[in-house]
Amino acid sequence: MSGNLSLRPAASRDAGAISDVFLAAWDDALSEIPKVHTDDQVRAWIRDVVIPDTNVWVAEIGDEVVGFFSLDGESLEQMYVHPDHQGIEVGTALLERARQLSPTRLQLYTFARNEGARRFYERHGFKAIAFGQDNEENEPDVLYEWTA
């Protein structure tokens, strides 16, 4: 892990930075999947739903938010790392913290065509347990599970 990487619980003031990470990561890894929400709608959702209703943690390098996750019980609802900071263990650090918060089991969905995310989760012990298409984008997805 990068020496100056730190993790902390998100605060409402982080909504803009978290939105920036989400949108940049989506545009980088998921550009072929049509967006069903405008950037402004995504920002409002993160500010009004994700931060207040789930356990959100951010990864920072210095004072810059470079990644985040949103956890709801045993469900890893969102986890994104800014494309400029991928490959330097930010995602691994976030995932380790999520496992500390949910130490027996985690589940998450990812799009089937998001091969980078699928490789990442499989490398970290997640197993694909279901395949479907239960999302707003109407894209094939994969349900992954990790158990201690």
Side-chain angles (χ1 to χ4, degrees):
M1 175 167 48
S2 178
N4 58 355
L5 177 69
S6 62
L7 303 179
R8 64 170 173 80
S12 58
R13 70 178 184 278
D14 296 313
I18 290 170
S19 297
D20 291 344
V21 168
F22 179 97
L23 293 166
W26 184 285
D27 289 345
D28 182 65
L30 303 170
S31 61
E32 296 175 3
I33 297 175
K35 286 184 179 180
V36 296
H37 298 286
T38 67
D39 289 0
D40 286 343
Q41 289 171 325
V42 168
R43 290 178 184 285
W45 167 70
I46 288 173
R47 180 189 66 234
D48 300 337
V49 178
V50 175
I51 292 176
D53 295 348
T54 64
N55 188 357
V56 181
W57 282 68
V58 295
E60 291 180 309
I61 295 178
D63 60 358
E64 179 186 3
V65 172
V66 298
F68 77 97
F69 71 75
S70 163
L71 186 65
D72 187 3
E74 295 180 332
S75 179
L76 189 59
E77 295 290 312
Q78 310 292 326
M79 191 171 97
Y80 290 91
V81 175
H82 193 284
D84 294 345
H85 299 282
Q86 292 177 3
I88 59 168
E89 302 299 315
V90 174
T92 298
L94 286 165
L95 190 55
E96 287 173 1
R97 181 57 48 90
R99 284 179 171 162
Q100 289 170 358
L101 297 169
S102 182
T104 58
R105 183 178 95 144
L106 281 174
Q107 288 191 332
L108 63 91
Y109 283 92
T110 192
F111 292 114
R113 66 165 112 175
N114 189 349
E115 294 175 7
R118 293 183 66 186
R119 283 192 306 273
F120 172 82
Y121 291 119
E122 289 169 9
R123 195 167 56 244
H124 286 87
F126 282 77
K127 304 287 186 230
I129 60 170
F131 295 84
Q133 200 161 319
D134 185 23
N135 55 68
E136 292 178 303
E137 293 80 10
N138 201 30
E139 279 287 318
D141 58 24
V142 184
L143 176 60
Y144 277 96
E145 181 177 65
W146 166 82
T147 54

